[in-house]
Every structure is written in structure tokens, then in C-alpha cells.
Amino acid sequence: MNELSPGSKPPEIHRAEWVVPVSAPPLRNGAVLTHRGRVIAAGPFAAVRRDSPAGARVTDHGRAALFPALVNAHTHLEFSALRGKIPFPQPCFREWIPLLFVLRAGMGPQAVDEGLLSGEAELLSNGTGFCADTTNGWAGVGRGPVGAAEGLSGESGCCAFAACGPAAARLERRIFLELLGFNLDSVAAAIPREFLTRSREAAKKEDTTLIPVPHSVYSVSPAIIAESKEWTRARGLPFSIHVAEHLDEIEFLQGGKGFCRELLEMVGRWDPSWTPPGKTPIEYLDCLGALDSRTLLVHAVHMTEADWALAAKRDCTVVFCPRSNRNLSSGRPWIEKALSLGISCALGTDSLASNTDLSLFAEAAFTLDNHPSIDPQKVIEMITVNPARSLGCKSDFGSIEPGAKAHMLAVEIQSGIDESNLAEALIQTGKEGAWKWVSSAQS
Ligand SMILES: [Zn+2]
């Protein structure tokens, strides 16, 4: 870029001891040129300054590392008002679900909305710029920039994003509308009518759509899983589902018995015509045509060797939520196995109903502490470029490269850190909160 349009704010050169693009090796004494909220170039400081237009303003971030805003691959912001209401660890998933049902039933719309706002603020305050938010229908529809009806009825394309927060640090969301209905035979039947009405009204004002996805293999009929996958595939959108999270799910698919069956009967959703497939959750999803490169498998705690091989073959992304699994005593995900097979891996915090905070840096630090053989650079990718790619926002988020949004963090880096331990230092320092947002003029 050589010319500035009259009246526009000048480009900015952000210099720092480190620039960590993630999609390329770290740069020492690097710089990022930004203009109108976008990255124009990243490289060695001298080269960036030499090639910048006259009048570009230099901001020196000293010893910091410039790092892209984090991408949280799985959360439920509508549960944010439940922070601290459920003690951890819970003895098991079947003990936790009744607590969640009771607490959720006691939350009025105002509590849900206040929780949403506080959850969004917490994500931002922990360095997250983009999240995949899963909702049962309360995700701020009608209160903010969210719409849905046209997309949900399959009548049009969509952009499926919502945004909030000040311009310098905006949180954007990919919103999944979570379907429930084991005894229902279509996506339309599983979407509450009052939700459609509210979202139609919101869609008149905004250009955002929710993506209907099944909650899990034990709470949604096979017809809905297949239809919703087809709906997302036809639009090139991501598809997300909780899978292999706990042993009750495995037992249910094998023989149609156990806690999941009891739960469905209790809520009046059991379908007596359903035949247990006798498969693992991954095999079952594959038979329903639900596995491909746009599918995000959330949790994946109880996987067989064949399941891992199938997830790799279908090029799925696996979203791990290790602190949620620990808090619900669900098990320890085999992240090392997924990485060894070259599977695209991401991290999510899950919600404040199963976690103590929404800090992705804390999730990454927990992963390093509990999986010490994993290369910290891989964990960096799990909170940036990998989820950005699988959620369809890679052109804007997940790396510092030309064209991306200039949503960056300046993370303090101690002296003595070199390229070999930079990734681990980033995660630990990020968890301690020693970072700040790097603002960039939008105009
Ligand atoms: Zn979840």
C-alpha cells in the first residue's frame, strides 16, 4: 500500500520483541502493519517500516509478543449465570444433568440475558475474539445482532455471525442452535415455534443466522442428525455435536439402556420404535453421513482406536474441553492420540455450568499441565488457527497475516525466552493475565 485516501486514519506499525503469526514461525523484533482494522503486512520491523506508506504511525509494544485474538471452539454463553452454582468435581455426568435441569428451569429471561452479557465480557477479558456459542434458543436473539428465520427454514444463505463489544476488542460469535428431540423426525419439528417468531423479527434488523445442529446422538433422532448435517453441508457451514462425552452414551447406543434411556423417558422424549445401532457414537454418526471436514466433534473422551482412525479419515475437527471433562468426572480425553493421527484439534471452555471460567488461556495451560508430552506449539494452534479454520472464520481470525482482522493481543514476555519456549511462555503468561488488547483504528 502506498497511498492514503484523504481523511482516512493513517496506517499503524505495531512493533514488538516478538510477532507470533501462528500460521508462520515467530519473528523476533517484528512488526505488524494495520489499517482500517485489518492486517496489511507482518514481518521484520525494518522491512515493514521500509515498505509502509509515509505517515504510518509507530507503536512500540516493547518486550511483548503480538498474538492473534483467541478462538474458543465450544461454549454455551446462555449458562453463564450459573457460574459457581454447581460444585466441582461432580461425581459423574448423570449426577450433574439433574442439577443443570433444575438450575436452568429457575433462570428467567433476564438472568439468561445478564449471563450472556457477562459471559461475552469474560471472553473478551480473557483474550477471546471469536467463539462458537451453542444455544437452546436464548443466544441474545432479539436483544442484539442476531437473526435466524430465513436460514433456519432453508430459504437462503447466511453469514451466521453476531458481534458485540467495543470496536477495539469485539467478540464475534458463530452461533449453533442446539436441537433436542429424540422422538421428533425433522429439524423444523425440533425448533420451538416461539423461537422462530422471535428470530424472524430479529432477522429483519440483522444479517445473522443461527446454525441448527443436534445436541448429541442420545438426545436427537437419527433423522434430525442427518437432515441438519445435510443443511449445513449444502451451505458450506460447520456442524457441531457433543459426542462420546460419557460412558452412558456408549451404553445407550450399544443396547438402548441405561441413564440416557431413563432420561429420555423422564422428559417424555423416548421413541420405542428406535433400534439401538450397536455402534460407537462415531460409527453411528458416520452411518448417518455426519462426518466430514466441516464436522466438529465436541469432547471425544470415550473413543476406540477405530473411532480415532475414522475421525482422521473423515478429516473431522475434534474439540476438546478437558477441564469440563475433569469437572464432570467424564474422563481424560486422549489428545495425544488425535494429534498423532494429524487430526485438527481445538479447545473449548464449555460453559460455566461445567467450568469455573471462560479463559481459553487457562484451558490451554491445563492441557499442557495434564498432557506434558504435547508440544506447546500444538496447543497454541488449538486456540487460534485450527478452530478458526473449522468454524469458517480463518480469513478474519486465528493468525496474523494480510487480510485478517487486526484483533491482536500483546502478551508480556520475560527476558530469556527464546523461540523454543515461546509458545509455553505465551500460554502461561496469558493465563496470568499479563497481556492487553492491541487496538487498531477502524477507519
Ligand atoms: Zn457443550
Side-chain angles (χ1 to χ4, degrees), residues 74 76 242 298-299 350:
H74 183 73
H76 306 251
H242 298 90
V298 180
H299 291 302
D350 219 341

Side-chain angles (χ1 to χ4, degrees), residues 349-381:
T349 57
D350 219 341
S351 77
L352 289 174
S354 63
N355 210 342
T356 49
D357 60 64
L358 299 177
S359 167
L360 208 47
F361 275 131
E363 201 73 39
F366 179 87
T367 302
L368 280 184
D369 288 346
N370 289 273
H371 302 263
S373 68
I374 295 178
D375 179 353
Q377 177 59 32
K378 292 292 179 190
V379 179
I380 289 285
E381 294 168 5

Side-chain angles (χ1 to χ4, degrees), residues 315-320 338-339 341-346 382 385-387 389-390:
D315 198 18
C316 300
T317 290
V318 176
V319 179
F320 295 106
L339 289 170
L341 292 172
I343 291 173
S344 173
C345 297
M382 291 166 72
V385 67
N386 290 355
R389 187 188 309 114
S390 55

Side-chain angles (χ1 to χ4, degrees), residues 40-107:
I40 305 300
F45 175 53
V48 170
R49 185 165 59 175
R50 182 193 64 217
D51 297 338
S52 295
R57 204 176 61 203
V58 178
T59 302
D60 194 333
H61 298 276
R63 301 199 55 80
L66 298 181
F67 191 63
L70 309 185
V71 181
N72 189 334
H74 183 73
T75 188
H76 306 251
L77 287 178
E78 65 193 12
F79 292 153
S80 298
L82 299 182
R83 176 201 302 275
K85 296 262 190 338
I86 299 177
F88 302 127
Q90 284 291 301
C92 58
F93 187 82
R94 66 173 66 191
E95 296 283 331
W96 172 75
I97 275 285
L99 290 177
L100 179 63
F101 278 14
V102 169
L103 289 167
R104 180 64 187 83
M107 289 167 65

